[in-house]
Amino acid sequence: MARKSSSPVRSTASSTGTAAEPADVKKAPSLSSLRSEIDRLDKDLVTILNRRAEIAVQIGKVKSSNGLEVFSAAREEEVLAKVLGASQGPLPQDTLRLIFRELMSGTRALQRTLRVACLGPKYSYSHLASVAKFGEAVEHVPVGSIAAVFEEVNRRHVQFGIVPLENSTDGRIADTLDMFTKLPNLKIRAEVRLRIHHCLLGRCEWSQMRRVYSKSQALSQCRNWLGKNLPQAAKIEVVSTAAAAELAQREEFAGAVASKPAGQAYRLNVLAENIEDQANNVTRFAVIAETAEARTGRDKTTLMARIPNDPGSLVKTIAPLEKLGVNMTWIESFPIAAAAGDKNPSYLFFLDIEGHSEDVLVQKAIDTIRRRCERLDVLGSYPRSEIVES
């Protein structure tokens, strides 16, 4: 006789014949529950951001009582580095950078609204570089020339100016170097390395285009592309890429080489993107002000030196850099007007070296170089920056 089981046999199927769902399987969250979680996090974020702003206002009061400036390139670079280093995704670092740029811009404005001069009008690359460094919560003051940017800062009409210093395709920006020879008292407080993407903008088809406007440097950076694709169009230089977009908006058979934001602002069609001849096209901008920047440990220093016009004088002048282990990352020569009766041209040299002018080895190198020069100006020490997209 068969023996009965002491434990009941459990059915593995329901009355309808379907397999039973394991008890430990969780249901996927619903759309409404996920949205509720987002709403809760947004509320928490607003509370945290406002608390951060309250502390920033307190910091502003402490700075004011100690005679310190609202803007500190060193501190803002430090904040960004810590934020980006703490993130493990999935939010892209470029997105985080933009968020915190505007966050710092907005909290700065609670302390004081800054005025920043740049080569305009709005949506020029100088304006885009200004936004990249200072955010939107400042007063961007567009002016008509690089010289005017220097003058606005020198006359204290603005706290800061931003000027192009060099381009990876075209090299030095002569107008900027010339103004440093005239106003060496102004200091470089920060740099912006902006990746430049040029677009062909217009209201007509390529075949109808008779004129292409842009700043001389932009036309130069797209020379091969324009020659191949628009050989029939005259290339006309204007004061800025944004001014070019404005002209293209007014004229029926005209185009502009400018940024995509400029095209959007002037309601132009983007006929072609990324038309620059060199894919890695970067312009380095200098933020200028009356005072120098504090050291961060990740700095560079820009020097302007007038060197005797003798054989080997340049090599002798910069020799202390190698001896002291100070790395030079950039050098440009710049001609200056000769004195009456002097037949030999004279040159200034602009140099970038790694480190801050307050670093012991850098300070020693500068002192040694100064003794070998006819003139030496420290144009500023400031944090090294990463490339940002325009």
Side-chain angles (χ1 to χ4, degrees):
M1 185 174 175
R3 206 174 154 189
K4 293 183 179 179
S5 172
S6 59
S7 60
V9 177
R10 295 181 179 177
S11 172
T12 59
S14 66
S15 59
T16 60
T18 307
E21 185 177 290
D24 60 344
V25 174
K26 295 181 179 179
K27 290 184 178 180
S30 65
L31 180 61
S32 61
S33 65
L34 291 171
R35 284 177 171 170
S36 296
E37 180 70 2
I38 287 286
D39 291 342
R40 184 187 66 78
L41 289 171
D42 286 346
K43 186 176 180 180
D44 291 344
L45 276 173
V46 170
T47 301
I48 292 170
L49 291 176
N50 279 319
R51 176 56 186 154
R52 187 187 189 282
E54 289 171 354
I55 295 172
V57 170
Q58 294 175 28
I59 289 172
K61 292 177 180 178
V62 173
K63 284 182 174 181
S64 179
S65 63
N66 288 278
L68 300 175
E69 292 186 77
V70 169
F71 174 76
S72 168
R75 173 56 182 163
E76 295 197 0
E77 288 292 331
E78 179 187 2
V79 169
L80 282 174
K82 287 181 178 179
V83 166
L84 298 179
S87 175
Q88 298 181 5
L91 206 59
Q93 293 221 334
D94 283 347
T95 303
L96 272 177
R97 184 184 296 275
L98 289 173
I99 290 170
F100 273 81
R101 181 194 76 190
E102 292 304 324
L103 179 59
M104 289 188 289
S105 182
T107 51
R108 256 193 275 110
L110 292 174
Q111 302 169 41
R112 182 186 181 185
T113 300
L114 298 179
R115 304 183 80 237
V116 183
C118 60
L119 180 63
K122 288 181 67 176
Y123 307 108
S124 67
Y125 287 106
S126 290
H127 172 253
L128 296 179
S130 184
V131 172
K133 173 54 67 177
F134 291 97
E136 294 284 5
V138 302
E139 184 182 350
H140 299 283
V141 182
V143 297
S145 67
I146 288 172
V149 175
F150 277 82
E151 292 296 346
E152 287 293 289
V153 178
N154 194 50
R155 293 170 183 170
R156 299 182 178 177
H157 295 166
V158 298
Q159 288 81 40
F160 299 96
I162 190 161
V163 290
L165 191 59
E166 62 164 335
N167 176 264
S168 58
T169 302
D170 286 342
R172 68 183 188 185
I173 308 298
D175 289 350
T176 298
L177 300 189
D178 183 52
M179 287 306 300
F180 275 123
T181 69
K182 296 173 180 176
L183 292 172
N185 56 300
L186 297 183
K187 303 301 178 185
I188 301 177
R189 286 285 299 272
E191 67 174 2
V192 182
R193 297 169 64 205
L194 189 71
R195 195 182 305 280
I196 304 296
H197 294 296
H198 293 303
C199 298
L200 178 66
L201 309 173
R203 298 191 293 120
C204 61
E205 300 297 326
W206 287 15
S207 59
Q208 298 175 308
M209 201 167 285
R210 296 292 175 262
R211 296 170 300 282
V212 177
Y213 295 104
S214 198
K215 189 171 174 59
S216 60
Q217 287 88 352
L219 291 174
S220 175
Q221 291 160 25
C222 304
R223 183 187 300 111
N224 294 336
W225 191 95
L226 292 170
K228 179 181 178 180
N229 293 280
L230 287 167
Q232 79 285 358
K235 316 312 186 283
I236 303 173
E237 296 180 8
V238 293
V239 68
S240 72
T241 53
E246 186 177 6
L247 285 168
Q249 198 273 334
R250 295 205 308 256
E251 299 182 20
E252 186 176 1
F253 299 111
V257 174
S259 66
K260 187 181 287 186
Q264 294 167 345
Y266 290 99
R267 303 184 302 280
L268 294 169
N269 298 322
V270 178
L271 304 176
E273 295 187 44
N274 302 335
I275 65 173
E276 57 274 8
D277 295 331
Q278 300 293 330
N280 187 32
N281 186 28
V282 176
T283 296
R284 181 162 70 109
F285 293 83
V287 175
I288 57 174
E290 283 192 300
T291 56
E293 185 58 60
R295 66 190 300 273
T296 67
R298 292 185 65 258
D299 305 297
K300 65 170 62 171
T301 297
T302 299
L303 307 175
M304 181 175 68
R306 181 168 180 168
I307 296 174
N309 191 7
D310 300 319
S313 60
L314 176 60
V315 174
K316 293 174 185 175
T317 300
I318 63 176
L321 297 176
E322 181 183 8
K323 184 177 180 180
L324 294 167
V326 177
N327 190 35
M328 182 175 67
T329 60
W330 178 61
I331 184 169
E332 285 283 353
S333 62
F334 189 75
I336 55 177
D342 189 355
K343 296 180 180 180
N344 294 322
S346 187
Y347 286 86
L348 286 170
F349 287 86
F350 291 82
L351 302 85
D352 277 353
I353 58 176
E354 291 183 349
H356 195 280
S357 59
E358 295 178 357
D359 295 344
V360 174
L361 291 179
V362 174
Q363 191 174 52
K364 188 173 182 180
I366 290 172
D367 289 342
T368 307
I369 290 172
R370 180 174 279 111
R371 291 194 293 270
R372 302 181 183 191
C373 288
E374 295 177 350
R375 164 185 173 182
L376 181 69
D377 294 283
V378 179
L379 296 182
S381 295
Y382 46 93
R384 299 196 301 269
S385 71
E386 303 297 327
I387 295 173
V388 295
E389 297 292 329
S390 59

